[in-house]
């Protein structure tokens, strides 16, 4: 009886609890948006997605949309709740609210406008409450209230009253189902409802969802958390394990083998095709609230969850998952290893282990859970290493071997970083152990590891160790440089040389050593380096140019030749192209900032299982799935706003769908804007959600930008002060696999201001022509006037020129006359001087003759005296030349002597001579010589002349004579 009681307790309590404790090992990433972000009410009732990927939420404050970046809201005219949504093949959004239903569709300027269908309802059925289900079937759209189902076909509404009360309506494949309180489960065929199951297992059973899982398999999810399989008009209960009847209002299909239900008590349950819960996602797993009102699976297999005051997205379909060994007390994952079908995870506080399902391609999908390995906590577990078929653990407390459920200490002197085998031959007999304080030797004999003790040599913390083909041991220290070490022959000691920037490293800091493709590679702040033994220096690696300029902290090669790496910011993989012998760098923005920066670790088990150390456990990447499921991204233009005194939304995100089924701006939608709208803001997005939301955009404004912008995770661009003209804004997006979307463009024209319009330009041309005409006309008059003035001026100038010529000629004549006069005067002076001299000589000869007449002598003497006297008479005759001189002098001096004689009769002959000499500007001395008298005599003579003429004392005699 005692054992029966225990068995009863185990079967009904312990077993269910154990079974419920089993979840998928990997957890999807969860992103949460509270209502302050999406700008809606506290409850969301339904979620749908259109063909472009835009999400729609039926919220207590209306319709909310989300395009991957921007949330927008649209209220119903009566500002009531939207309970249900349906989007048809033309992306028309049908909504069911309180007391109203209708549809939203794109309107002018690319926004959504609501059209109510209530006016089409027969008058007697217009009084209804909430529309709980909305969907399309065939050519009709159905709206379910509790008392009636409305069928819209064209512009006519047909009413389907409930026999008692409509509980549910849903579509599976090509069948439309509904549940009536009285008639049970019905199917709509040939325009009427036919029974499928007249009786249900429970009288008050209410269906929440009907989901197609695989071929001919329909799963029913009920409001009380039950799941049933509908097959051949028979319901089979699926989840028979212990369950609670908590409120479960929503379910959604993930794929043919799984679906998700939203529960009011425990968040989301992921269930398999048999209704068994394989994973719970609640508050511990990332949700902010576990009271779920709606779930939806989008095109990327993300699960959207509507809860109280929030909306969450679970990246369930992603190839990236998170292994969190301790949800209550998060630990940092430092390394991982698959050993004996178990996943070991060393962390910041011990080792965790979880069984792995055999034959499962993606190990993160194992139905398992982590447990703490006994006595491994109490410090950091740095490294898990498999050596000689044994599992070794490098721990803060030393080096251990993990065997069964025990830790066997191998060395506990100090903390252990790593283990480096000294041979590639199995089994490895000796290995080096890098510790906090130097190197130790690890021996292996007879299947047992034993510590060989600490080696003599330079003591440092050797976290990274590698051995090259020259038996050189390389060790790195992040803050010192690279150690080059060599073991002595007895392997009891080593010598170490520290190499730094002086030896070719770009820096003394952040240098790490790894072995890639059997070659020692040094990761630095400037890329990858190798060591040149000939130059005895570090050189940039020619084989890994793709890494140039990157700050590399960690490297790990996988079986396909790809190189996984960690930088100071993100984790990536250099995908190897065997044909071109090159690498393509791919980074994982989804996990940026989540890896253990500074203690990076990557376990490349195979292409389906890549384990990356993270701040919260381990990140798992199914790389094959990641590459295969990558799809070309889509870019959306979310909004175009024109900036002026008052902002105006030109485009709100919805282009017109053309005949080919694509959305684009039609020519009729291309706006011509007034010149005041010369500043614009463009918002764009990509409908990639959850873990896929990390996209980069590039844009160009044709007509303004010369080229595309650089790729960046920026979803807005503003332009200011654009000149008038035609423009085309175009944008594209790319993912981390360098897949680029098609380009989306938006055309618009900025009209010139009124003063630059065509009519204004025509007026300007007309005015200009008139102005030119008037200008030339006035200018012509001005030219004529100027011509007349010019001619007058020229005549005047010619006259003046003629006068100048005449004046010049007169001056020349005058100068010539003056020259001639001067020459004549000079000659006259010379003549006068000579004449006067002769005259004086004549007078002297007269005197001589008179004196000779007085002399008496012989006849011969008398004869001689007579002859001399005759000669003197001849000379005297020459004195008559004075008269001749006087005549010529008067001719030259305008009758000077005659005027003088006529004006002054008392002047003697001698007076006239002196006056002539003075007129000729002879000096007193010269006159004295000519008169053969003394200077005093001349002065007396001049004095007498002043008296005779008469000349006053204040005037000179020469001036007086010159005036005559």
């Amino acid at each position: 009886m005692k054992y029966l009681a225990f068995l009863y307790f185990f079967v009904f309590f312990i077993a269910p609890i154990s079974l419920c404790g089993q979840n998928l090992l990997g957890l999807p990433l969860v992103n949460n948006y509270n209502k302050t972000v999406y700008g809606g009410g506290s409850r969301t009732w339904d979620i749908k997605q259109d063909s472009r990927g835009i999400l729609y939420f039926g919220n207590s404050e209306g319709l909310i949309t989300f395009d991957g970046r921007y949330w927008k809201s649209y209220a119903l005219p009566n500002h009531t709740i939207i309970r249900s949504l349906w989007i048809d093949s033309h992306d028309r959004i049908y909504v069911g609210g309180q007391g109203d239903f209708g549809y939203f569709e794109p309107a002018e300027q690319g926004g959504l406008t609501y059209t109510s269908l209530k006016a089409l309802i027969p008058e007697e059925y217009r009084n209804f409450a909430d529309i709980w289900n909305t969907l399309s079937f065939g050519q009709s759209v159905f709206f379910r209230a509790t008392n009636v189902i409305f069928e819209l076909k064209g512009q006519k509404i047909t009413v389907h009253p409930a026999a008692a009360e409509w509980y549910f309506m849903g579509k599976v494949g090509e069948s439309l189902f509904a549940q009536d309180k009285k008639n049970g489960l019905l199917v709509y065929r040939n325009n009427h409802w036919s029974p499928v199951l007249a009786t249900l297992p429970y009288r008050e059973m209410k269906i929440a969802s009907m989901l197609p899982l695989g071929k001919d398999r329909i799963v029913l999810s009920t409001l009380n958390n039950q799941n049933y399989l509908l097959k051949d008009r028979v319901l089979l209960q699926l989840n028979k394990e212990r369950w609670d009847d908590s409120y479960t209002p929503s379910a959604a299909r993930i794929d043919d083998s799984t679906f998700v239900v939203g529960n009011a008590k425990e968040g989301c349950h992921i269930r398999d095709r048999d209704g068994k819960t394989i994973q719970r996602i609640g508050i511990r797993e990332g949700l902010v609230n576990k009271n779920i009102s709606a779930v939806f699976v989008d095109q990327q297999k993300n699960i959207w969850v509507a809860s109280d005051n929030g909306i969450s997205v679970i990246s369930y379909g992603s190839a990236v998952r998170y292994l969190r060994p301790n949800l209550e007390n998060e630990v940092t994952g430092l390394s991982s290893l698959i050993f004996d079908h178990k996943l070991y995870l060393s962390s910041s506080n011990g080792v965790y282990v979880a069984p792995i399902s055999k034959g499962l391609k993606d190990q993160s999908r194992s139905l398992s859970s982590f447990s703490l390995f006994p006595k491994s906590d109490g410090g950091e577990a740095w490294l898990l290493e498999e050596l000689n078929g044994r599992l070794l653990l490098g721990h803060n407390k030393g080096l251990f071997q993990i065997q069964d459920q025990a830790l066997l200490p191998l060395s506990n002197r100090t903390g252990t970083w790593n283990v480096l085998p000294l041979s590639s031959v199995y089994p490895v007999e000796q290995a080096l152990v890098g510790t906090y304080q130097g190197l130790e030797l690890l021996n292996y004999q007879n299947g047992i590891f034993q510590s060989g003790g600490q080696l003599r040599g330079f003591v440092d913390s050797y976290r990274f160790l590698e051995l090259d083909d020259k038996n050189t041991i390389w060790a790195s220290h992040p803050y010192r440089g690279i150690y080059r070490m060599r073991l002595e022959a007895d392997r009891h000691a080593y010598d170490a040389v520290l190499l730094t920037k002086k030896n070719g490293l770009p820096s003394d800091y952040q240098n790490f050593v790894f072995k890639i493709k059997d070659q020692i590679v040094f990761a630095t702040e400037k890329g990858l380096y190798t060591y040149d033994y000939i130059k005895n220096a570090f050189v940039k690696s020619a084989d890994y140019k793709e890494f140039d300029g990157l700050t590399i902290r960690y490297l790990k090669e996988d079986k396909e030749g790809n190189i996984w790496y960690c930088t100071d910011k993100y984790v990536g993989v250099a995908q190897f192209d065997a044909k071109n012998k090159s690498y393509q760098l791919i980074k994982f923005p989804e996990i940026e900032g989540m890896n253990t920066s500074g203690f990076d670790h990557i376990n490349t088990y195979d292409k389906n299982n890549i384990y990356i150390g993270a701040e919260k456990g381990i990140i798992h990447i199914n790389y094959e799935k990641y590459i295969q499921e990558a799809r070309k991204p889509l870019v959306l233009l979310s909004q175009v706003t024109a900036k002026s005194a008052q902002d105006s939304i030109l485009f709100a995100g919805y282009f017109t769908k053309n005949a080919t089924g694509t959305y684009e701006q039609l020519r009729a939608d291309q706006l011509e804007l007034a010149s005041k709208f010369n500043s614009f803001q463009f918002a764009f997005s990509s409908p990639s959600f959850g873990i896929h939301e990390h996209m980069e955009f590039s844009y160009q404004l044709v007509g303004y930008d010369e080229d595309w912008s650089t790729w960046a995770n920026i979803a807005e661009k503003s332009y200011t002060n654009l000149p008038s003209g035609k423009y085309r804004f175009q944008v594209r997006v790319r993912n981390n696999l360098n897949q680029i979307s098609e380009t989306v463009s938006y055309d618009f024209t900025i009209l010139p201001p009124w003063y630059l319009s065509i009519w204004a330009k025509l007026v300007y041309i007309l005015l200009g022509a008139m102005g030119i005409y008037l200008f030339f006309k006035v200018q012509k008059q001005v030219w004529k006037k100027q011509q007349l003035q010019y001619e007058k001026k020229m005549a005047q100038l010619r006259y003046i020129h003629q006068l100048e010529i005449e004046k010049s000629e007169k001056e020349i004549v005058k100068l010539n006359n003056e020259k001639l006069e001067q020459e004549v005067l000079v000659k006259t002076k010379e003549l006068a001087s000579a004449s006067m001299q002769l005259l004086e000589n004549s007078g002297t000869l007269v005197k001589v003759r008179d004196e000779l007449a007085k002399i008496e002598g012989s006849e011969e003497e008398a004869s001689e005296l007579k002859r001399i006297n005759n000669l003197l008479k001849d000379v005297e005759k020459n004195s008559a030349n004075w008269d001749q001189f006087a005549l010529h002098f008067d001719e030259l001096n305008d009758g000077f002597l005659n005027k003088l004689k006529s004006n002054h009769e008392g002047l003697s002959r001698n007076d006239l001579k002196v006056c002539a000499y003075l007129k000729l500007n002879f000096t007193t001395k010269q006159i004295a010589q000519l008169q053969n008298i003394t200077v005093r005599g001349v002065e007396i003579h001049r004095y007498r002349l002043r008296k005779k003429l008469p000349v006053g004392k204040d005037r000179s005699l020469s001036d007086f004579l010159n005036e005559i």
Side-chain angles (χ1 to χ4, degrees):
M1 188 69 182
K2 178 180 179 182
Y3 293 104
L4 289 175
F6 176 80
L7 181 60
Y8 176 85
F9 179 81
F10 178 82
V11 170
F12 289 96
F13 293 96
I14 303 299
I17 292 174
S18 300
L19 195 59
C20 290
Q22 294 292 309
N23 281 324
L24 295 181
L25 198 58
L27 292 172
L29 178 68
V30 179
N31 286 342
N32 297 292
Y33 307 95
N34 61 44
K35 67 177 184 178
T36 59
V37 174
Y38 59 77
S42 59
R43 294 296 297 270
T44 297
W45 301 94
D46 200 2
I47 308 171
K48 292 295 185 292
Q49 188 176 30
D50 69 11
S51 63
R52 294 187 300 167
I54 298 176
L55 286 162
Y56 300 85
F57 303 85
N59 187 262
S60 56
E61 292 187 4
L63 179 67
I64 295 175
T65 69
F66 183 49
D67 60 8
R69 286 277 179 152
Y70 304 101
W71 298 86
K72 299 176 184 178
S73 59
Y74 302 88
L76 292 180
N78 58 3
H79 297 280
T80 59
I81 298 171
I82 291 181
R83 297 282 192 184
S84 58
L85 296 170
W86 185 264
I87 301 175
D88 67 10
S89 58
H90 301 290
D91 287 337
R92 176 178 282 184
I93 306 124
Y94 290 93
V95 299
Q98 286 184 324
D100 193 11
F101 60 86
Y103 59 87
F104 285 91
E105 62 181 351
E108 293 183 2
Q109 299 180 336
L112 292 178
T113 183
Y114 177 74
T115 300
S116 176
L117 298 172
K118 191 173 182 179
L120 300 178
I121 301 173
E123 187 70 32
E124 64 271 23
Y125 292 102
R126 291 185 182 179
N127 186 20
F128 59 91
D130 297 281
I131 301 296
W132 292 98
N133 298 120
T134 300
L135 54 86
S136 66
F137 181 73
Q139 300 298 317
S140 302
V141 181
F142 292 81
F143 303 88
R144 178 188 73 87
T146 57
N147 63 327
V148 66
I149 292 178
F150 300 101
E151 178 186 359
L152 171 68
K153 190 171 185 179
Q155 291 298 309
K156 180 181 179 182
I157 288 182
T158 303
V159 177
H160 302 274
E165 181 179 353
W166 290 114
Y167 281 163
F168 166 79
M169 182 178 66
K171 185 171 73 169
V172 179
E174 298 301 322
S175 299
L176 176 63
F177 296 93
Q179 181 188 3
D180 180 68
K181 180 178 181 181
K182 179 180 179 182
N183 295 326
L185 185 62
L186 307 174
V187 63
Y188 188 71
R189 289 174 183 168
N190 300 321
N191 297 324
H192 70 275
W193 296 96
S194 302
V196 176
L197 294 173
T199 59
L200 295 175
Y202 300 96
R203 186 174 182 84
E204 296 300 324
M205 173 182 175
K206 293 182 179 180
I207 300 174
S209 303
M210 295 182 66
L211 309 171
L213 292 182
K215 186 177 181 181
D216 300 328
R217 189 179 182 91
I218 300 175
V219 173
L220 279 70
S221 177
T222 67
L223 291 178
N224 63 342
N225 199 21
Q226 283 282 13
N227 296 127
Y228 295 89
L229 173 63
L230 176 61
K231 189 173 183 180
D232 299 329
R233 295 178 176 263
V234 177
L235 277 182
L236 302 176
Q237 187 175 355
L238 294 178
N239 50 337
K240 296 181 180 180
E241 71 266 20
R242 185 175 180 271
W243 59 275
D244 59 40
D245 60 350
S246 56
Y247 183 61
T248 308
S250 181
R253 176 183 176 273
I254 298 174
D255 52 38
D256 285 344
S257 60
T258 53
F259 63 98
V260 57
V261 297
N263 189 274
K265 290 175 60 177
E266 298 182 351
C268 288
H269 288 205
I270 311 298
R271 293 176 178 170
D272 62 17
R273 58 190 290 125
D274 296 323
K276 181 180 178 181
T277 298
I278 59 176
Q279 191 161 49
R280 289 179 175 83
I281 302 175
I283 293 178
R284 293 196 313 169
E285 290 76 17
L287 294 178
V288 294
N289 191 293
K290 62 182 180 180
N291 183 15
I292 309 302
S293 57
V295 293
F296 174 76
V297 178
D298 68 14
Q299 298 164 3
Q300 298 169 322
K301 302 301 181 185
N302 298 307
I303 301 173
W304 289 85
V305 180
S307 60
D308 287 350
N309 301 310
I311 296 173
S312 302
V313 55
I314 304 170
S315 299
Y316 190 80
S318 171
V320 181
R321 287 185 167 253
Y322 302 86
L323 281 61
R324 296 167 60 187
N326 192 334
L327 295 177
E328 302 296 336
N329 184 22
E330 298 286 2
V331 293
T332 300
L334 299 175
S335 73
S336 62
L337 187 69
I338 305 296
F339 184 80
D340 193 21
H341 301 293
K342 295 178 183 178
L343 172 61
Y344 288 86
L345 188 156
S346 66
S347 72
S348 56
N349 189 26
V351 176
Y352 290 84
V353 62
I356 298 297
S357 300
K358 295 181 181 180
L360 194 61
K361 201 173 183 181
D362 187 336
Q363 295 170 346
S364 70
R365 302 284 176 160
S366 296
L367 195 59
S368 180
S369 61
F370 282 100
S371 61
L372 180 65
F373 195 88
K375 299 182 180 180
S376 66
D377 55 348
E380 292 87 352
W382 296 114
L383 176 74
L384 291 164
E385 182 77 24
E386 183 179 357
L387 186 61
N388 294 338
R390 306 291 193 273
L391 181 58
L392 303 182
L393 171 65
H395 198 278
N396 183 55
K397 295 178 180 179
L399 181 63
F400 298 88
Q401 178 180 340
I402 297 177
Q403 185 172 346
D404 298 329
Q405 291 296 312
L407 286 179
L408 303 180
L410 301 179
S411 173
N412 57 6
R413 183 181 64 86
T414 185
T416 298
W417 290 116
N418 54 55
V419 177
L420 175 66
L422 293 177
S423 171
S424 59
V425 179
Y426 181 86
V428 176
E429 295 181 352
Q430 287 185 320
L432 283 181
V433 180
T435 71
Y436 293 179
Q437 299 176 5
L439 298 178
E440 291 185 4
L441 190 66
L442 181 66
N443 297 316
Y444 182 77
Q445 291 181 349
N446 301 322
I448 300 175
F449 284 107
Q450 288 183 342
S451 175
Q454 184 178 7
L455 303 183
R456 299 187 306 275
F458 184 80
V459 175
D460 204 340
S461 179
Y462 298 120
R463 182 178 161 204
F464 297 89
L465 290 173
E466 294 294 347
L467 177 67
D468 68 10
D469 55 1
K470 300 181 184 298
N471 290 323
T472 300
I473 300 168
W474 297 93
S476 64
H477 194 289
Y479 310 113
R480 292 192 178 92
I482 301 291
Y483 287 101
R484 187 180 63 194
M485 300 185 291
R486 188 171 292 275
L487 289 175
E488 293 186 359
D490 60 1
R491 295 192 173 181
H492 290 160
Y494 62 93
D495 57 354
V497 178
L498 180 63
L499 306 178
T500 62
K501 187 176 181 180
K502 298 177 181 178
N503 306 98
L505 290 172
S507 172
D508 294 341
Y509 308 103
Q510 301 300 326
N511 299 300
F512 305 90
V513 58
F514 303 97
K515 197 166 189 177
I516 303 296
K517 299 187 184 302
D518 295 324
Q519 181 185 16
I520 300 300
V521 178
F522 302 92
T524 74
E525 292 181 341
K526 300 296 183 181
L528 301 186
Y529 281 67
T530 57
Y531 188 76
D532 190 327
Y533 278 94
I534 297 175
K535 297 180 180 179
N536 288 324
F538 294 96
V539 295
K540 253 185 182 180
S541 173
D543 298 327
Y544 306 106
K545 294 181 180 179
E546 292 83 358
F547 292 91
D548 286 354
L550 295 179
T551 300
I552 306 297
R553 297 182 184 272
Y554 187 85
L555 294 172
K556 186 63 177 290
E557 183 182 5
D558 65 16
K559 296 175 182 178
E560 282 73 33
N562 306 314
I563 301 175
W564 293 76
Y565 65 93
C566 299
T567 71
D568 55 341
K569 295 181 180 179
Y570 61 86
V571 177
V573 59
Q575 186 169 276
F576 182 62
D577 184 347
K579 182 179 180 180
N580 298 318
K581 303 296 182 183
S582 61
Y583 294 91
Q584 178 189 0
L585 299 187
I586 298 172
K587 64 180 182 179
F588 298 92
E590 303 94 335
I591 61 174
E592 188 171 320
M594 297 181 183
N595 60 304
T596 54
S597 179
F599 294 95
D600 306 281
H601 178 83
I602 301 177
N603 175 14
T604 57
Y605 182 75
D606 60 28
K607 60 184 177 181
N608 301 114
N609 299 280
I610 306 294
Y611 296 90
I612 301 171
E615 293 180 350
K616 295 181 180 180
I618 292 287
I619 298 171
H620 178 276
I621 298 179
N622 186 334
Y623 186 60
E624 183 179 46
K625 179 181 179 183
Y626 192 95
I627 296 298
Q628 289 179 351
E629 294 187 355
R631 62 177 186 172
K632 190 175 182 179
L634 175 69
V635 67
L636 300 176
L637 187 60
S638 300
Q639 186 167 292
V640 180
T641 305
K643 304 284 186 178
S644 63
Q646 185 176 0
D647 294 350
S648 177
I649 296 178
L650 305 180
F651 177 73
Y654 290 88
F655 285 126
T656 303
K657 199 171 187 179
N658 59 24
T660 62
T662 59
Y663 290 87
E664 64 180 1
Q665 183 186 23
L666 300 181
R667 184 177 297 274
D669 297 329
Q670 297 177 10
L671 298 179
E672 293 184 345
L673 306 171
S675 60
K676 66 179 181 179
F677 295 107
N678 61 0
S679 297
F680 297 85
Q681 183 179 44
F682 299 90
F684 32 89
S685 63
S686 178
S688 298
F689 308 101
I691 206 167
H692 304 283
E693 65 183 358
H694 302 273
M695 296 286 183
E696 292 182 325
F697 298 90
S698 179
Y699 50 81
Q700 180 188 23
L701 183 62
V702 179
Y704 185 81
D705 294 330
E706 294 182 358
D707 203 354
W708 287 88
S709 68
T710 56
W711 293 100
N713 188 21
I714 299 174
E716 288 184 354
K717 175 59 181 175
S718 295
Y719 293 91
T720 58
N721 298 322
L722 293 176
S724 59
K726 292 184 178 181
Y727 296 95
R728 168 175 287 184
F729 180 80
Q730 50 191 23
V731 61
R732 57 189 179 182
V733 66
R734 75 173 181 184
N735 57 22
N736 60 318
L737 299 178
N738 294 317
Q739 294 174 306
I740 300 176
S741 70
E742 299 294 336
T743 299
V744 170
S745 61
Y746 181 82
D747 294 272
F748 63 98
T749 301
I750 301 178
L751 297 175
W754 64 267
Y755 50 84
L756 293 177
S757 65
I758 295 177
W759 293 108
K761 289 180 179 179
L762 291 175
V763 172
Y764 297 154
I765 293 172
L766 181 61
L767 292 175
M770 293 177 62
I772 293 172
Y773 172 76
L774 293 174
F775 171 78
F776 278 108
K777 187 172 182 180
V778 172
Q779 191 64 31
K780 188 175 181 180
Q781 298 298 325
V782 172
W783 287 343
K784 288 183 178 180
K785 185 176 180 181
Q786 290 178 346
Q787 183 70 20
L788 293 174
Q789 291 178 350
Y790 174 76
E791 291 177 355
K792 183 178 180 181
K793 186 71 175 178
M794 289 301 296
Q796 184 178 4
L797 289 174
R798 283 194 294 270
Y799 176 74
I800 293 173
H801 179 66
Q802 186 63 33
L803 291 177
E804 291 291 336
I805 290 174
E806 293 177 358
K807 182 178 179 182
S808 297
E809 291 177 350
K810 288 180 180 180
E811 289 292 333
I812 291 171
V813 171
K814 181 179 178 181
L815 290 174
N816 289 334
N817 291 336
E818 290 178 354
K819 181 178 179 181
L820 291 173
E821 289 176 359
Q822 189 68 23
E823 291 178 354
V824 170
L825 180 62
V826 171
K827 297 296 183 181
T828 301
K829 286 183 178 181
E830 293 176 353
L831 176 62
S833 176
S835 299
M836 289 298 179
Q837 185 66 36
L838 291 173
L839 186 60
E840 293 300 326
N841 290 338
S842 298
T844 303
L845 291 175
V846 171
K847 291 179 180 180
V848 171
R849 189 193 63 184
D850 292 339
E851 291 295 327
L852 289 175
K854 294 177 180 181
I855 299 174
E856 293 181 359
S858 61
E859 290 181 357
E860 292 179 0
E861 293 175 347
S863 177
E864 289 293 330
L865 289 171
K866 185 176 179 180
R867 188 178 57 81
I868 293 170
N869 191 32
N870 291 332
L871 292 171
L872 292 172
K873 285 182 181 180
D874 292 336
V875 173
E876 185 178 2
K877 289 179 183 179
N878 292 335
S879 65
N881 291 333
W882 159 256
D883 295 331
Q884 187 71 26
F885 172 80
L887 178 63
H888 290 301
F889 185 83
D890 277 344
E891 289 178 358
L892 293 172
N893 292 281
D894 197 21
F896 173 74
L897 295 176
N898 291 327
K899 290 179 180 180
L900 192 62
K901 285 191 292 184
S902 60
N903 293 331
H904 306 283
E905 296 179 354
L907 296 177
S908 65
R909 185 184 181 89
N910 202 26
D911 292 334
L912 293 174
K913 288 182 180 179
V914 172
C915 289
Y917 293 149
L918 290 173
K919 180 70 174 176
L920 294 173
N921 295 322
F922 285 0
T923 63
T924 301
K925 186 177 180 180
Q926 291 174 330
I927 294 172
Q929 292 176 349
L930 290 173
Q931 293 286 8
N932 198 19
I933 60 177
T934 63
V935 172
R936 179 63 179 169
V938 175
E939 290 177 349
I940 293 171
H941 199 167
R942 291 179 65 172
Y943 177 75
R944 290 173 180 169
L945 283 172
R946 295 177 71 90
K947 293 270 191 163
K948 290 179 181 182
L949 288 176
V951 179
K953 294 181 178 181
D954 56 347
R955 196 174 184 189
S956 68
L957 182 60
S958 297
D959 293 338
F960 177 79
L961 294 175
N962 288 329
E963 292 177 356
I964 295 176

